[in-house]
Every structure is written in structure tokens, then in C-alpha cells.
């Protein structure tokens, strides 16, 4: 049995399947960005705060140099002392210099330096203020707390960092780069647009930020159907390919398989904090426009394209015949897990997190939250209760 409705609270279509009286959740078009949105926004805001504060402090230091006889070392020591006092919860001497410095800092980070990593950034922050030049691009800022959380949560890779730093050095020093791999060539092309006036002091920070952004782009993936079966502790991810008979469906199957594997890795990384090891991820490819994907003719075509699907995996490549009776396929999958689990907090956490993150990315009328009956109906359909 299925529950399906346009959801005024969440702003999108929601489908919940009921099987043997037990709840399950099925969602269409689940995007990795649903899980990244809030963290990404917070990380970007923190980076902009850093940039704004540096630019304001640079202007302040310029005025300080022109109105006093203070030398750079004297100013540097004074600024470090002010930040360390703030970090320790004590009050720095409130002369005009420290007062204005604190006002600019607090305007960006708040009175307690919220979002500012004192242990890591005090010396870097002051060095950035005193560095030459009036500009300070976003790419010069160090990785902030939120960005590091994103990197850890989504397992972003930085294994090319040393190679990319070398590419920057070669470009700035006008030294030819040879034997570059595809990733380094791509990075080189990007940096060529930013090399004008680039300060080599920031080469590692530039690479860190580039790898962070590139890693997020690689995480920008979508799955067509997402199904949770709590009694079996199964998460089914289904990728649909609208390919017709006679076309290169072998290539599309390979493409879908790779997409599913990437999304599985993404889900494992993002949900590992709420799911036990009992949960299993099932990858499914749906081909609704092909009547019988494993007909003799189609198997010959796959063989020509060097696509060999084993007997076990054939159970998870669904053609039109299977999809027309998807409920039977789901029942067969359920029977492969003889041990049944209680519908516990893990399922509810996963269902609620998935739907909430998906809802947060939607733009909808705030007044919809007042539709109490609508919320009750959605909750009843999604998690089997209305509270």
C-alpha cells in the first residue's frame, strides 16, 4: 500500500510505503546538497567574516602607521596580546588602539570570537592584517572550523595538495610544469586566472580552499529514489536511466553503477553517526523503458560492450517487467533478511534527518507551518505516528 501526497509543509511530493502494517519511507530526487546546505552556508559566512575583518583591520593599520611612529613588530605584538587576552577571557588595556582593534574584530566574530579558532589562527590572523597589499581574496583565508567539519564529515580528499602547491610555484616563478596528470592540469588552468598579483605566502591556503570547493562539487550527486525498510535495516538507493531498447544501455548501466557507489559512500559518511553496523545499503538500477533487459539479444549487446552482470547482481537491475510489479520485488528483498529488527530510533532519526534536510533546501511559504492537520497527516504517513 502507498501513501502519496503533495506536502505543504515540506514543499515537495512525499511517498511513504506501508508493508504489513510497518512504516517505511520512499523519497524521490534525494540530493547530497540536502545534507550539505546548512554547513556550507555557515562555512562560507565564517570565511567572509574573516575576509571582512582582515580588510577592515588593514585599513585601521594603515591609519595607525600614518598617525603614529609605531613599527610593524610593535603593532604585531600588541595585536597578538589583545587576541590572547580575549581568548583567555581577560580584558586588554583599553587604549585607543586596542579598543578600535577589538571593535573591528567583534563586528565580524562577536565578543567571544565565535567561529574564530584562537588556537590555530591568532598568529595567522595578525600576519594577514600586516601582509602587503590592500586586498584579501576569500581564497587567502585559512580553513575555518565549519569547513574542517565539512571536510571531516564528508571525507574530502587533500592528497594532491603538494602537487598543486608546486604548480603554483612554477607558474609564479615562470618555470615550466611537465608531466602533469589530468587533475593538476585542471588546477593549473584554474590558477592561471588568479595568478595576477598572487602572494606566494598564501599558496597552501589557496590550494586548501580549492580542494575544499572541488570536493564539494564532487559530492554534488543525486539519487532518483531512496527507500528505507526499517524492519530489515535496509536502505535502498535506486538510479533510473530512461534509455530505450537499441541504444547504448550498457554504457548507461555502467554510469548508473558508478553513481550508486558514489552515493552509497556519501550516505555511509553522512549517516554513520546515527546508524549501527546492522544497516545495509542496496544499490538498484531501474530501466523503465526496456521490457526485458536480460533477453538473449540484450545480453549479446552487453557482451559486445564488455559488460558482464553476474547472476546475483541481475536481481538489482530492474526492467519494465519488474518495475510494473515493484511491490513483489520489494517483498523478495525483504525475505533475503530473515532476521527482523524493531523499528527503533535509528530508523526515525534517518527518516527525519533525510526529510528535514530535503525540506530545508526548499523555498515555501512560512505560513504552511501553521497547517497542523497537514503536519499530522505527513507524520502519520512517514513514520507511522502523528506526534
Amino acid at each position: 500500500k502507498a501513501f502519496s501526497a503533495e506536502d505543504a509543509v515540506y514543499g515537495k511530493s512525499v511517498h511513504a510505503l506501508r508493508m504489513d502494517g510497518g512504516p517505511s519511507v520512499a523519497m524521490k530526487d534525494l540530493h547530497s546538497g540536502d545534507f550539505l546546505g546548512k554547513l556550507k552556508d555557515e562555512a562560507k559566512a565564517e570565511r567572509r567574516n574573516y575576509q571582512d575583518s582582515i580588510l577592515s583591520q588593514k585599513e585601521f593599520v594603515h591609519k595607525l602607521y600614518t598617525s603614529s611612529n609605531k613599527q610593524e613588530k610593535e603593532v604585531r605584538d600588541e595585536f597578538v596580546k589583545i587576541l590572547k587576552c580575549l581568548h583567555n577571557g581577560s580584558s586588554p588595556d583599553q587604549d585607543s588602539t586596542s579598543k578600535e582593534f577589538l571593535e573591528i574584530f567583534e563586528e565580524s566574530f562577536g565578543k567571544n570570537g565565535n567561529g574564530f579558532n584562537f588556537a590555530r589562527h591568532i598568529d595567522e590572523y595578525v600576519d594577514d592584517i600586516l601582509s602587503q597589499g590592500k586586498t584579501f581574496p576569500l581564497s587567502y583565508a585559512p580553513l575555518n572550523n565549519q569547513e574542517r567539519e565539512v571536510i571531516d564529515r564528508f571525507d574530502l580528499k587533500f592528497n594532491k595538495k603538494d602537487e598543486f602547491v608546486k604548480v603554483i610555484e612554477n607558474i609564479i616563478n615562470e618555470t615550466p610544469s611537465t608531466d602533469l596528470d589530468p587533475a593538476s592540469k585542471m588546477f593549473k588552468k584554474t590558477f592561471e586566472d588568479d595568478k595576477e598579483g598572487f602572494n606566494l605566502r598564501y599558496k597552501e591556503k589557496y590550494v586548501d580552499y580549492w580542494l575544499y570547493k572541488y570536493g564539494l562539487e564532487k559530492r554534488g550527486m543525486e539519487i532518483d529514489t531512496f527507500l528505507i525498510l526499517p524492519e530489515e535495516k535496509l536502505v535502498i538507493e535506486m538510479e533510473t536511466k530512461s534509455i530505450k531498447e537499441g541504444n547504448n544501455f550498457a554504457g548507461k548501466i555502467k554510469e548508473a553503477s558508478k553513481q550508486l557507489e558514489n552515493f552509497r559512500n556519501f550516505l555511509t559518511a553522512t549517516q554513520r553517526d546515527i546508524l549501527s553496523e546492522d544497516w545495509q545499503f542496496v544499490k538498484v538500477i531501474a530501466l523503465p523503458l526496456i521490457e526485458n533487459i536480460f533477453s538473449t539479444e540484450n545480453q549479446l549487446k552487453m557482451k559486445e560492450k564488455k559488460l558482464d552482470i553476474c547472476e546475483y547482481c541481475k536481481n538489482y537491475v530492474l526492467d519494465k517487467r519488474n518495475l510494473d510489479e515493484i511491490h513483489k520485488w520489494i517483498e523478495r528483498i525483504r525475505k533475503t533478511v530473515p532476521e527482523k529488527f524493531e523499528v527503533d530510533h535509528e530508523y526515525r532519526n534517518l527518516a527525519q534527518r533525510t526529510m528535514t534536510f530535503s525540506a530545508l533546501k526548499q523555498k515555501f511559504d512560512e505560513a504552511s507551518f501553521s497547517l497542523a492537520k497537514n503536519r499530522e497527516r505527513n507524520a502519520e504517513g512517514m513514520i507511522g505516528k502523528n506526534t
Side-chain angles (χ1 to χ4, degrees), residues 153-357:
R153 180 75 64 86
F154 302 109
D155 195 25
L156 303 187
K157 304 298 183 184
F158 279 59
N159 53 346
K160 288 283 185 180
K161 180 174 178 177
D162 291 343
E163 295 172 42
F164 290 176
V165 168
K166 187 65 177 177
V167 169
I168 290 178
E169 292 172 342
N170 288 341
I171 290 174
I172 298 299
N173 296 326
E174 298 182 350
T175 304
S177 297
T178 57
D179 299 326
L180 295 180
D181 60 26
S184 297
K185 287 179 180 178
M186 179 174 60
F187 175 77
K188 180 176 182 289
K189 185 177 180 180
T190 301
F191 181 72
E192 290 281 3
D193 296 331
D194 295 334
K195 68 179 181 180
E196 190 68 32
F198 185 81
N199 187 335
L200 265 177
R201 176 174 175 266
Y202 294 101
K203 59 189 179 184
E204 292 192 4
K205 293 184 176 67
Y206 181 96
V207 172
D208 282 341
Y209 189 46
W210 190 92
L211 288 169
Y212 166 80
K213 291 190 297 180
Y214 179 71
L216 289 184
E217 289 176 9
K218 294 287 282 184
R219 291 295 189 270
M221 59 193 81
E222 184 177 68
I223 203 71
D224 292 322
T225 304
F226 181 78
L227 174 63
I228 310 170
L229 301 178
E231 293 180 336
E232 292 74 27
K233 290 198 172 181
L234 292 177
V235 175
I236 299 174
E237 44 175 319
M238 184 180 294
E239 181 64 23
T240 301
K241 292 298 179 184
S242 300
I243 192 76
K244 296 180 180 180
E245 300 268 6
N247 293 332
N248 181 23
F249 57 79
K252 288 295 183 180
I253 290 175
K254 290 179 181 178
E255 178 185 301
S257 178
K258 186 174 181 180
Q259 286 177 266
L260 289 166
E261 180 64 20
N262 289 339
F263 204 84
R264 186 192 69 83
N265 292 337
F266 173 82
L267 285 173
T268 302
T270 55
Q271 311 307 322
R272 62 191 174 197
D273 59 324
I274 61 172
L275 298 182
S276 66
E277 294 182 356
D278 294 324
W279 285 84
Q280 300 179 66
F281 292 84
V282 180
K283 300 175 292 182
V284 179
I285 299 172
L287 305 169
L289 302 183
I290 296 180
E291 185 68 29
N292 181 1
I293 186 60
F294 296 114
S295 67
T296 302
E297 182 181 354
N298 285 336
Q299 295 213 62
L300 286 173
K301 290 179 181 178
M302 285 188 270
K303 189 174 182 179
E304 289 173 3
K305 298 293 183 179
K306 297 181 179 179
L307 175 62
D308 184 20
I309 302 177
C310 70
E311 290 301 315
Y312 176 79
C313 292
K314 286 180 180 179
N315 294 312
Y316 303 96
V317 180
L318 308 186
D319 52 29
K320 186 177 184 301
R321 299 170 306 159
N322 305 125
L323 295 169
D324 285 345
E325 297 185 320
I326 187 66
H327 59 286
K328 292 183 179 179
W329 180 85
I330 292 175
E331 287 300 328
R332 288 201 301 272
I333 293 301
R334 295 184 71 200
K335 290 176 181 176
T336 64
V337 184
E339 179 185 1
K340 301 302 177 185
F341 298 90
E342 290 187 11
V343 178
D344 59 11
H345 64 284
E346 292 183 0
Y347 161 66
R348 292 188 176 90
N349 286 342
L350 179 59
Q352 290 168 359
R353 175 183 282 184
T354 303
M355 289 184 287
T356 300
F357 282 146

Side-chain angles (χ1 to χ4, degrees), residues 48-50 52-54 103-110 114:
R48 289 198 180 282
N49 286 345
Y50 192 95
D52 291 344
S53 187
I54 292 295
E103 286 176 353
I104 295 171
F105 180 85
E106 290 172 354
E107 188 174 338
S108 295
F109 301 106
N114 294 329

